Amino acid sequence: MIRFEQTFMNFLLEHQERQHRTHHFLILMDAMISAAKHIQYYYLTGALKGNLGMAGAVNVQGEDVMAMDQIAHEIAIHYLRSCGRVIHAVSEESEPIIPMNVEGGRYFVYFDPLDGSSNVSHGLPVGFLFGIAKRNLEGPEDQHLRAGNEYIAAGMFVIPTGTFTMGLKDAGTWRFHMDETMNYVRPTRILLPEQKKTWELSFNAANRRTYSEKVQGWIMENENRYAFRYLGALAGDFHRILANGGMFMYPAIVNHPDPKKNRPEGKLRLLYEASVVAFMCREAGGWAMSEKGVPILDIKPEKPHQRCSLYVGSKALVEDIAQKF
Ligand code: FDP
């Protein structure tokens, strides 16, 4: 007997029909899925074919080699543009906002096509993260940079592991796995576990002395209570937090011995990193704050590549550290 699993597309079709929605969002998500599969294919085969390298590198045939993040960007742009549903895209790999179907599109897409770049040369997991907001269909449209609480969906592909997690506004966070035919299947609803037994902390421990004294103090008081895990790719690290509970954090760097290396605004990008995980976290029953004491989802972006500090995960932990800010 063949055992069939529900596919992502079928799951989404049911969701849209239940909510009496159009099929435009399905067309957009079909483009996202195609892009993710194509990026995964390159990631798995690129090194063998001599296609991966640092920007500006040259392969053994003397041809220019594109960096994997540039390849991933071009793939994502191709599919998003050709689906016809995107007004503007913001990519981590492009300084300017990228106009697409400005007149007829319905969605704004903010994405990082290859997050966790230090893992690329090891073939270890990287992420493709995205947030989606919808055009104001009733009135004039002047806002194309949206706060996370205006997203309709946000998600992340972990590449090449083959998992895909997506939060849908007021409809939960769901995880899918890639099957042998490269279909994302088996929707599983994710809720952060209440039980502290499995909770983990995830941050770059090498940076801890560069954090504010308050944050360092909280770490000292709490670090022995939880397991510690850090992969160095937000999608992979946050994947674990969603399943096990706990907190991922990338605090502001304010005490670096070389003051030029301080990052008082934080390192991660609001539109396509922090807001994306914060959205999925909210839909899974969790919470996310910045060190300025503002919920991540309430931060209104002023520029496309704005940075912020990030504390995301189980509500009790995020609220606890937020009392120190
Ligand atoms: P990277 O710079 O290696 O692309 O914002 C990107 C990010 O990776 C996240 O994916 C990751 O969580 C973090 O930065 C890793 O930064 P550190 O190396 O400073 O820990």
Side-chain angles (χ1 to χ4, degrees):
M1 264 264 285
I2 306 178
R3 184 159 165 238
F4 292 103
E5 308 263 15
Q6 188 180 26
T7 63
F8 168 73
M9 275 304 159
N10 187 250
F11 163 86
L12 198 58
L13 176 64
E14 281 182 9
H15 169 79
Q16 292 295 98
E17 292 189 338
R18 225 179 3 254
Q19 310 235 347
H20 307 292
R21 295 267 162 78
T22 68
H23 290 168
H24 294 288
F25 186 58
L26 284 173
I27 296 167
L28 172 66
M29 284 313 301
D30 182 59
M32 295 299 300
I33 296 277
S34 299
K37 288 186 193 172
H38 210 138
I39 294 169
Q40 171 142 326
Y41 164 79
Y42 251 93
Y43 195 68
L44 286 167
T45 60
L48 291 173
K49 292 185 174 175
N51 282 335
L52 300 188
M54 307 307 286
V58 171
N59 70 12
V60 283
Q61 278 89 35
E63 297 156 341
D64 286 341
V65 173
M66 269 200 281
M68 187 61 219
D69 36 18
Q70 198 53 40
I71 293 171
H73 166 79
E74 290 196 10
I75 291 172
I77 292 296
H78 164 76
Y79 286 102
L80 290 181
R81 195 184 292 288
S82 39
C83 83
R85 300 303 189 277
V86 181
I87 308 160
H88 287 116
V90 172
S91 165
E92 133 102 302
E93 298 300 321
S94 163
E95 195 46 46
I97 295 173
I98 303 160
M100 292 191 170
N101 183 359
V102 176
E103 292 306 318
R106 286 169 77 89
Y107 304 103
F108 302 108
V109 181
Y110 317 115
F111 67 95
D112 184 348
L114 200 102
D115 190 60
S117 40
S118 72
N119 281 352
V120 172
S121 58
H122 305 282
L124 286 170
V126 292
F128 170 18
L129 294 106
F130 65 87
I132 299 171
K134 195 157 97 182
R135 156 175 250 156
N136 174 9
L137 296 168
E138 270 89 55
E141 180 58 61
D142 55 359
Q143 260 306 338
H144 50 256
L145 298 182
R146 300 289 178 83
N149 58 24
E150 292 182 42
Y151 288 6
I152 57 164
M156 62 184 191
F157 299 90
V158 182
I159 293 168
T161 318
T163 56
F164 169 40
T165 310
M166 176 154 139
L168 288 162
K169 190 172 183 199
D170 301 327
T173 289
W174 298 82
R175 181 159 288 162
F176 304 83
H177 295 267
M178 191 180 263
D179 73 3
E180 321 72 66
T181 62
M182 287 194 80
N183 260 315
Y184 287 101
V185 298
R186 205 189 307 150
T188 312
R189 185 150 189 188
I190 308 280
L191 285 170
L192 283 157
E194 298 283 334
Q195 278 279 348
K196 293 187 179 171
K197 233 174 33 219
T198 56
W199 285 12
E200 298 172 349
L201 287 181
S202 185
F203 61 95
N204 186 338
N207 289 344
R208 59 188 289 170
R209 290 198 170 69
T210 68
Y211 302 156
S212 75
E213 281 73 18
K214 291 173 182 172
V215 172
Q216 291 189 44
W218 186 90
I219 292 173
M220 276 195 314
E221 286 162 27
N222 289 278
E223 62 188 341
N224 292 337
R225 299 193 183 138
Y226 309 105
F228 175 79
R229 302 278 183 262
Y230 194 68
L231 174 69
L234 175 61
D237 284 317
F238 184 63
H239 179 108
R240 288 190 66 104
I241 296 294
L242 273 179
N244 289 359
M247 180 168 67
F248 172 93
M249 57 186 188
Y250 208 108
I253 307 283
V254 289
N255 278 314
H256 200 285
D258 175 358
K260 286 201 291 293
K261 294 196 173 148
N262 276 336
R263 291 170 179 272
E265 295 301 321
K267 173 187 178 186
L268 300 184
R269 312 294 185 141
L270 175 64
L271 272 176
Y272 42 79
E273 293 179 325
S275 291
V276 170
V277 292
F279 185 95
M280 284 188 278
C281 197
R282 183 194 71 194
E283 291 296 333
W287 196 235
M289 294 287 286
S290 90
E291 221 167 298
K292 294 190 173 150
V294 182
I296 295 288
L297 294 175
D298 288 347
I299 305 176
K300 214 158 175 42
E302 281 158 17
K303 45 187 187 186
H305 302 290
Q306 188 166 324
R307 297 177 192 270
C308 66
S309 52
L310 171 67
Y311 297 79
V312 61
S314 301
K315 209 167 184 171
L317 265 188
V318 177
E319 283 177 348
D320 190 54
I321 197 165
Q323 284 177 6
K324 302 266 185 189
F325 301 153

